[in-house]
Amino acid sequence: MTEPPDAERTALARHALIVTAVCALAFGWGLTTHGLTNWQEAIRVVVARSMQAAGDWIVPIVDGQPYLAKPPLIYWAQLVSASIRGAEVSIFDLRLVVALSGWIAALLTLVAARTVLFDARALDPGTARARAHSAALWAAVLLATGVLHVRSSRIGELDILLTPFTVLGVWGVFRAWRASLGGARVDWLGIALACVGSAGAALTKGPPGVLTLLLAGYGGIALHAAFGSHIASPRGAFKWVPLVCALAGALAGGYAASRDADDLRAWIGALLIACCTGSAAWLVARFVQPQRLKELLRAWWRTGLPLAILASVGVLAVWSAGVARSIGAEAIEQSLNAEVSENVRVLRATAPIRNFEGMLYAVGLGSGAMLAALVWILKDRPRLPLGAWTLAGWVGLTFVAFSTLGTGSSRYLTPVWSGVAMLGALWLVELFHDRPGLARRLRPALAVLVALLALGQGVWYAIGREVYAAHRSPRDFIAALQEASVPLTPERVKSIDFWTAAVEYYVGGYVEPLRLEGYGFDSPLPAEHAADAAQRATGDDPYVLLVRALPTNEAGEPRALDALRDAGWRIGERLPAEASSFRIEGGDIPISAYSAFPAERRSEPQ
């Protein structure tokens, strides 16, 4: 029997409360106990604070310069949070934004999975619906306790903002697709959700942010048209075209990736690249058959693909026009070129290895369940719901795309973890259904394990990091320097051979880097800049130099100090902040602080 609507809503509300409780344990408390550590999160909060100070919500800026590496949504969210509080943008606003994004993503996964995992062809719709609702709850809690999902919801990286928009958009595409298969009706609500998701993803991360949504939603439709359609396969010579294209794609991709392979890991990566390019070529070649291509194009049209693309392009065009009016179109072009050169790495052998490793643990229990689901599907070949094609696009096609075009950074796969969780939950509920005796024992154990995972990760991020990794944030280090007798104003603090926005956040303003490679967001800073800074030095108060302590010279001092002396700086005493150390590059490189004066000054002021 079909569950009454009121009972369905009550069950959904109960499940939403469970998911909210899990999220609250994992990433809803202790948001600011640990200082800014990650380079990515530090730049996000400093940019938002700079925009607030300038009163400009259009052009992201840092240190008075445009910073157009990413669209403005994460900055807008912080500005709204700070405006509601009536306060200056702070680490609290950033951490609140990402925590809310992680929570909303889990809730949307709960809602979307009820639709995506429902088997409309089942003989007993009531039982199929109950199983879909159970799988949806498990998908949401698996996602909420996933290792990398929790991390992204705790650390202020913008990628977690992609997940709610991706889930919303994929849900909308699937709704529209399912409606189009059932008759002539067009699901305009589903298309609208797809457009909202696409626009939000574009404003979060630009075209790369929209890619996962398109691959999951519309790529899943393409997989169905290629391999699940009622259209018969071509006969004669044409039936060999997909196989030939797959072999050619695999050979070309494998060869290109193997040219720089110098160890076993790289060779395995090249083999994975070959599998990815071969699979992509095989999929594309299936559409040499006109009937399949016609069916695909009709499905894409009826599910709003042109509108979804138009929504993403449109919001970026509007924002870019505002930026261009303020600072000119040339700055946008330069930023775009820099982003492409930094993040696009075609056929990089290490990328698929890193992506695969990420999938093995990213969703915690969900990753293990996903692997079990893949084995189950390959071994038993069960009848799967229509949404399985969407999950194949979400997990499979996205893996192929980011393994052949990206650097292998796990951050780029953040919006994929919802699909991984759904796939794992699909298998988990199937296991419960087939083995009711095991289910009675396993469900409570898994529930306890989920709670422990949520609490354990919450304790680590709220308490443990500050106990065991406080040195990775400059917060206490800067506070200790501020307590010293040397004035610590932004204009009199310099960093040498490193730069992080976290230092600027705690110092309270622009910290000029001296002799730094890579400053200016991958634009080298000339070595003579240190000499120029010495010439510009004014006032009687000493400057504070924050220096990489390694490598050292023969006297055991940081080697960077020798270069500073040659550039016209006279190095004073080492400042007493050792009790609150600060280390960069994963905690491996310590930072030391020294007082300094221009060399022409004969004596230090009393």
Side-chain angles (χ1 to χ4, degrees):
M1 294 181 60
T2 302
E3 195 174 7
D6 289 344
E8 267 197 42
R9 285 193 290 269
T10 301
L12 177 60
R14 184 173 64 252
H15 289 176
L17 287 175
I18 293 172
V19 173
T20 298
V22 172
C23 292
L25 280 176
F27 44 82
W29 58 293
L31 299 182
T32 61
T33 53
H34 186 62
L36 288 171
T37 300
N38 182 280
W39 195 98
Q40 296 288 336
E41 71 167 352
I43 196 67
R44 304 305 165 210
V45 70
V46 167
V47 170
R49 177 181 280 187
S50 299
M51 293 174 71
Q52 183 187 47
D56 186 348
W57 284 46
I58 300 299
V59 182
I61 54 176
V62 61
D63 298 338
Q65 300 297 320
Y67 179 61
L68 305 177
K70 296 294 184 288
L73 188 59
I74 192 168
Y75 311 126
W76 289 348
Q78 294 175 77
L79 289 168
V80 169
S81 173
S83 297
I84 293 173
R85 296 191 305 116
E88 184 183 29
V89 170
S90 71
I91 185 176
F92 172 80
D93 299 295
L94 178 65
R95 297 267 176 86
L96 178 64
V97 166
V98 296
L100 289 176
S101 298
W103 170 57
I104 295 171
L107 289 180
L108 286 175
T109 297
L110 171 70
V111 176
R114 287 175 155 230
T115 304
V116 174
L117 301 183
F118 173 62
D119 187 359
R121 300 172 300 170
L123 297 177
D124 185 353
T127 300
R129 184 169 287 105
R131 292 174 65 179
H133 292 179
S134 177
L137 175 60
W138 282 110
V141 297
L142 291 176
L143 176 69
T145 56
V147 176
L148 293 188
H149 183 81
V150 173
R151 180 185 184 277
S152 295
S153 301
R154 279 288 190 174
I155 296 175
E157 298 172 344
L158 63 81
D159 298 86
I160 190 63
L161 272 71
L162 287 175
T163 307
F165 291 114
T166 300
V167 177
L168 184 69
V170 172
W171 179 34
V173 172
F174 182 78
R175 281 178 50 113
W177 181 35
R178 188 180 62 178
S180 71
L181 293 176
R185 183 172 65 90
V186 175
D187 187 344
W188 289 107
L189 177 58
I191 293 175
L193 294 176
C195 291
V196 171
S198 181
L203 280 176
T204 300
K205 203 174 181 179
V210 185
L211 182 59
T212 300
L213 189 161
L214 297 180
L215 291 173
Y218 298 104
I221 296 174
L223 288 172
H224 179 265
F227 303 106
S229 172
H230 64 280
I231 298 174
S233 298
R235 296 171 180 256
F238 280 103
K239 71 179 181 179
W240 299 104
V241 171
L243 179 60
V244 171
C245 290
L247 290 174
L251 290 173
Y255 171 74
S258 66
R259 286 181 299 175
D260 297 326
D262 55 3
D263 56 22
L264 179 61
R265 180 183 175 87
W267 280 106
I268 294 175
L271 179 61
L272 288 175
I273 289 284
C275 294
C276 289
T277 53
S279 300
W282 186 24
L283 172 62
V284 172
R286 295 284 289 182
F287 294 103
V288 298
Q289 193 173 0
Q291 297 94 324
R292 291 187 190 276
L293 181 60
K294 184 177 179 180
E295 180 182 271
L296 174 63
L297 295 178
R298 184 187 298 116
W300 278 353
W301 177 261
R302 293 178 62 81
T303 52
L305 174 59
L307 292 177
I309 295 176
L310 181 63
S312 62
V313 173
V315 294
L316 288 178
V318 171
W319 172 64
S320 298
V323 174
R325 281 197 298 268
S326 296
I327 61 175
E330 184 179 350
I332 300 176
E333 182 179 356
Q334 291 175 350
S335 177
L336 179 61
N337 292 336
E339 278 294 291
V340 170
S341 63
E342 180 181 352
N343 295 304
V344 177
R345 296 288 188 275
V346 179
L347 303 181
R348 187 173 182 173
T350 56
I353 292 287
R354 297 174 65 184
N355 287 337
F356 182 71
E357 290 172 345
M359 285 195 171
L360 290 179
Y361 72 91
V363 196
L365 294 175
S367 290
M370 178 203 67
L371 294 177
L374 295 178
V375 173
W376 165 58
I377 292 170
L378 293 174
K379 178 176 176 292
D380 296 346
R381 298 184 180 276
R383 191 186 71 176
L384 297 171
L386 181 65
W389 294 106
T390 296
L391 298 183
W394 208 338
V395 179
L397 292 183
T398 305
F399 177 85
V400 169
F402 284 102
S403 294
T404 54
L405 301 176
T407 61
S409 173
S410 60
R411 290 188 295 106
Y412 285 83
L413 294 179
T414 300
V416 179
W417 307 144
S418 289
V420 171
M422 288 188 196
L423 184 56
L426 184 66
W427 168 80
L428 195 60
V429 171
E430 181 70 20
L431 178 67
F432 292 159
H433 181 267
D434 291 344
R435 301 182 183 181
L438 176 63
R440 284 192 294 272
R441 298 189 299 272
L442 190 57
R443 277 198 189 99
L446 284 176
V448 171
L449 188 54
V450 163
L452 291 175
L453 281 172
L455 180 60
Q457 292 183 89
V459 169
W460 166 251
Y461 283 101
I463 300 174
R465 283 210 305 166
E466 186 60 19
V467 173
Y468 296 103
H471 60 275
R472 297 185 62 177
S473 172
R475 182 182 63 184
D476 295 341
F477 185 76
I478 297 299
L481 289 174
Q482 288 171 334
E483 293 175 359
S485 58
V486 177
L488 199 69
T489 57
E491 60 273 9
R492 305 195 77 79
V493 178
K494 312 291 181 184
S495 64
I496 294 87
D497 288 352
F498 83 100
W499 183 88
T500 171
V503 169
E504 292 198 356
Y505 177 83
Y506 291 112
V507 170
Y510 171 55
V511 173
E512 184 181 20
L514 307 181
R515 212 180 67 86
L516 174 70
E517 295 180 0
Y519 176 72
F521 319 108
D522 298 321
S523 299
L525 189 70
E528 60 269 17
H529 190 79
D532 178 64
Q535 293 290 331
R536 291 185 281 105
T538 60
D540 294 330
D541 291 328
Y543 285 79
V544 176
L545 306 183
L546 306 180
V547 185
R548 289 173 64 109
L550 296 176
T552 60
N553 57 22
E554 295 179 356
E557 295 178 326
R559 189 174 297 170
L561 296 181
D562 295 333
L564 291 174
R565 292 186 181 100
D566 294 339
W569 288 92
R570 184 164 55 82
I571 308 301
E573 63 178 350
R574 182 174 178 178
L575 300 178
E578 291 79 4
S580 301
S581 64
F582 169 42
R583 292 173 172 263
I584 60 174
E585 298 186 14
D588 295 331
I589 306 296
I591 299 298
S592 298
Y594 290 84
S595 63
F597 302 86
E600 64 270 14
R601 187 167 294 155
R602 296 300 180 185
S603 61
E604 297 182 11
Q606 299 297 317

